[in-house]
């Protein structure tokens, strides 16, 4: 038998077992005593000291609970202020650091039953900014310390003063420029838009300039050429009209592009990682489009419905021969068949299958301008 005492094997074993956190159901908040097992907790509940604490608590139980709640709230907020400051952090991370202290106030002795309820209370009372995400609740401490507010006001005053100095410097430079110009107002130059020079317009311009030069030369020498026949005039008229139509079509292609492309009935892929691995790179069908940029998507694998922005989605390119829908450009909202894919240019060749252009073959349609139909 070992000797009884502080250094006996049994005493050392008991101290090792008492280290760290133990089970919450064997903790007495009134007596602030942690028991190691069910038998120890039962013995403690039958002890005289515990019965005396129960008699004291029965006189005013609401006051006891309010004291524990106030202590829990103060310690929790102090930990956020000291450890995380005004950073946005998940509430579980703060709570796990809080319960590392063996002497902490347990939540089951407060007025809040769950951590979520306590987090909502912090946001309602204005102690923290709280928001709910798919990963859980996040909190951000609101620092209302007078010293902190004073420092922030001083920084804002300094920024405003720097901006005023920059404005004064700009005005001084303008005054110097005006004096250098002798008090005259600066000249305002007008710039006019010049359409881009294409090969067709270049040849048309060169031919017109050459024709004008030949006409002036003929008029100066007194020579008069015969008027062109009616057939030649009709051919020139037809060519110029065709050029005008092609130019108008090119301008139309440039003007009909929009910054939104969502459309009901198309297949899309989720590219954002904010929803977790469950939905990342998974396909879905657009069921509804809201405000042009938001879509209600039904996932194909799980059947879940999500509300996502178009920046978190991308189009789906099917195999050749499948039906697609053109989402942008001059052929917007037109159904088509996918003929081939050019991987080097990130584009495809489509055959229109609806509308007035049905049967027309179109090249160079970018990947983001069409998607597979459901």
């Amino acid at each position: 038998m070992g000797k009884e005492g502080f250094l006996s094997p049994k005493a050392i074993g008991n101290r090792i077992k008492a280290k760290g956190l133990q089970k919450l159901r064997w903790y007495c908040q009134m007596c602030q005593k942690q028991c190691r097992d069910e038998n120890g907790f039962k013995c403690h509940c039958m002890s005289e000291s515990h019965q005396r604490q129960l008699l004291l608590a029965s006189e005013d139980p609401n006051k006891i609970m309010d004291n524990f709640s106030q202590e829990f709230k103060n310690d929790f907020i102090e930990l956020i202020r000291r450890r995380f400051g005004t950073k946005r952090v998940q509430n579980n991370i703060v709570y796990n650091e809080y319960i590392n202290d063996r002497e902490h106030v347990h939540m089951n002795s407060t007025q809040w039953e769950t951590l979520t309820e306590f987090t909502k209370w912090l946001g309602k009372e204005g102690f923290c900014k709280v928001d709910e995400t798919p990963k859980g609740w996040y909190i951000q401490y609101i620092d209302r310390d007078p010293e902190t507010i004073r420092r922030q006001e001083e920084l804002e005053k300094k920024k405003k003063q720097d901006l005023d100095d920059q404005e004064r410097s700009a005005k001084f430079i303008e005054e110097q420029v005006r004096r250098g110009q002798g008090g005259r107002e600066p000249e305002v130059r007008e710039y006019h838009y010049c359409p881009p020079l294409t090969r067709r317009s270049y040849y048309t311009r060169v031919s017109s300039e050459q024709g004008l030069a030949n006409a002036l030369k003929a008029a100066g020498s007194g020579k008069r050429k015969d008027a062109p026949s009616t057939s030649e005039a009709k051919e020139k008229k037809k060519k110029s009209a065709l050029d005008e139509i092609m130019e108008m079509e090119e301008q139309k292609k440039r003007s009909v592009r929009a910054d939104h492309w969502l459309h009901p009935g198309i297949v899309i892929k989720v590219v954002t990682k904010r929803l977790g691995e469950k939905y990342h790179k998974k396909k879905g069908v657009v069921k509804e489009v809201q405000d042009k940029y938001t879509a209600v998507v039904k996932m194909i694998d799980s059947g879940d419905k999500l509300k996502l922005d178009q920046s978190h989605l991308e189009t789906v390119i099917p195999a050749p021969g499948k039906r697609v829908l053109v989402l942008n450009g001059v052929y917007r909202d037109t159904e088509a068949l996918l003929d081939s894919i050019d991987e080097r240019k990130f584009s495809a060749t489509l055959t229109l299958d609806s509308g007035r252009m049905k049967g027309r073959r179109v090249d160079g349609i970018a990947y983001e301008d069409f998607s597979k139909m459901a």
Side-chain angles (χ1 to χ4, degrees):
M1 296 294 292
K3 295 182 179 180
E4 297 294 335
F6 182 76
L7 297 178
S8 63
K10 184 175 181 180
I12 294 174
N14 290 338
R15 286 197 298 273
I16 292 175
K17 292 178 182 178
K19 284 185 178 180
L21 298 176
Q22 300 185 27
K23 290 189 177 182
L24 177 62
R25 61 178 176 174
W26 296 331
Y27 181 81
C28 178
Q29 184 66 59
M30 286 297 303
C31 304
Q32 297 183 0
K33 179 176 177 60
Q34 176 69 59
C35 301
R36 288 201 303 269
D37 52 21
E38 186 176 0
N39 185 41
F41 186 71
K42 182 179 178 181
C43 294
H44 169 72
C45 292
M46 297 172 61
S47 64
E48 182 181 355
S49 60
H50 179 75
Q51 297 295 329
R52 192 183 307 114
Q53 290 292 337
L54 289 181
L55 290 175
L56 293 175
S58 62
E59 295 178 0
D60 193 355
N62 293 330
K63 182 179 179 181
I64 300 296
M65 181 177 290
D66 292 342
N67 291 337
F68 284 137
S69 300
Q70 185 69 20
E71 186 178 353
F72 178 83
K73 185 260 294 183
N74 292 339
D75 294 343
F76 195 89
I77 292 179
E78 179 64 21
L79 176 62
I80 299 175
R81 186 189 66 80
R82 186 181 67 253
R83 175 68 173 81
F84 301 99
T86 56
K87 295 180 180 179
R88 181 172 174 268
V89 64
Q90 197 171 8
N91 58 353
N92 277 326
I93 296 177
V94 183
Y95 184 71
N96 288 334
E97 291 201 12
Y98 173 75
I99 64 177
N100 282 334
D101 182 13
R102 291 189 61 193
E103 305 299 329
H104 72 276
V105 178
H106 291 260
M107 186 176 288
N108 60 355
S109 62
T110 65
Q111 63 184 14
W112 306 287
E113 295 182 358
T114 61
L115 181 60
T116 300
E117 184 180 349
F118 177 64
T119 303
K120 292 180 180 178
W121 184 86
L122 289 177
K124 183 180 179 181
E125 296 296 325
F127 292 104
C128 300
K129 294 180 182 178
V130 301
D131 59 311
E132 185 181 11
T133 66
K135 294 183 178 180
W137 286 87
Y138 282 80
I139 56 179
Q140 184 178 1
Y141 176 66
I142 301 175
D143 194 352
R144 290 190 172 89
D145 185 33
E147 184 66 21
T148 304
I149 296 175
R150 186 184 62 80
R151 288 199 300 268
Q152 292 178 354
E153 291 178 352
E154 289 180 355
L155 290 175
E156 291 178 357
K157 287 181 181 179
K158 187 176 181 181
K159 290 180 180 179
K160 186 176 181 181
Q161 186 177 1
D162 293 341
L163 291 176
D164 293 341
D165 293 342
Q166 292 177 4
E167 291 178 358
R168 283 196 294 269
S169 300
K171 288 181 180 180
F172 177 75
I173 293 173
E174 291 178 0
E175 182 67 20
Q176 294 294 328
V177 171
R178 190 179 63 81
R179 288 181 181 178
Q181 294 178 349
R184 299 190 306 272
E185 293 293 333
E187 297 181 359
V188 179
R189 298 183 179 181
E190 295 184 358
Y191 297 92
H192 300 280
Y193 173 73
C194 180
L197 184 63
T198 61
R199 182 175 295 179
R200 186 180 294 105
S201 61
Y202 171 76
Y203 286 124
T204 305
R205 186 179 301 176
V206 171
S207 60
S208 61
E209 291 177 355
Q210 290 178 354
L212 180 60
N214 294 334
L216 292 174
K217 185 176 180 181
S221 61
K223 295 181 181 179
R224 183 175 297 176
K225 294 184 179 180
D226 296 335
S229 61
T230 55
S231 60
E232 293 178 354
K234 286 183 179 179
E235 288 179 1
K236 288 184 178 180
K237 187 175 182 181
K238 286 182 180 178
K239 288 182 180 180
S240 61
L242 181 60
D243 291 340
E244 290 179 0
I245 292 173
M246 295 183 70
E247 289 179 1
M248 289 175 63
E249 188 174 355
E250 290 179 359
Q251 292 178 359
K252 185 178 180 182
K253 286 182 180 179
R254 291 193 296 267
S255 62
V256 296
R257 290 196 62 83
D259 59 348
H260 57 88
W261 54 269
L262 293 174
H263 194 283
I266 63 172
V267 180
I268 51 81
K269 183 184 292 184
V270 179
V271 295
T272 181
K273 295 183 179 179
R274 296 181 179 179
L275 302 178
E277 296 297 331
K278 181 180 179 181
Y279 301 110
H280 185 232
K281 294 295 184 182
K282 295 296 188 296
K283 296 179 182 179
V285 180
V286 177
K287 293 297 183 181
E288 182 184 353
V289 178
Q290 300 177 358
D291 301 330
K292 297 182 181 180
Y293 303 96
T294 307
V296 178
V297 180
K298 183 177 182 181
M299 305 305 296
I300 296 176
D301 294 340
S302 60
D304 299 339
K305 286 189 176 181
L306 307 176
K307 189 175 181 181
L308 301 170
D309 187 79
Q310 71 172 12
S311 60
H312 297 156
L313 306 172
E314 70 176 8
T315 58
V316 174
I317 311 301
K322 300 292 184 179
R323 296 184 64 83
V324 297
L325 182 69
V326 182
L327 305 174
N328 215 335
V330 67
Y331 306 109
R332 187 186 182 97
D333 299 336
T334 303
E335 297 181 7
L337 295 176
L338 178 61
D339 290 343
S340 60
I341 297 175
D342 190 346
E343 296 181 356
R344 292 181 301 174
K345 297 182 179 180
F346 302 101
S347 61
T349 301
L350 307 180
T351 300
L352 305 182
D353 197 34
S354 65
R356 293 180 298 177
M357 300 289 185
K358 185 175 181 180
R360 182 173 182 178
R361 187 183 176 90
V362 184
D363 299 329
I365 303 297
Y367 287 169
E368 61 270 16
D369 289 346
F370 70 94
S371 186
K372 179 182 178 181
M373 295 184 64

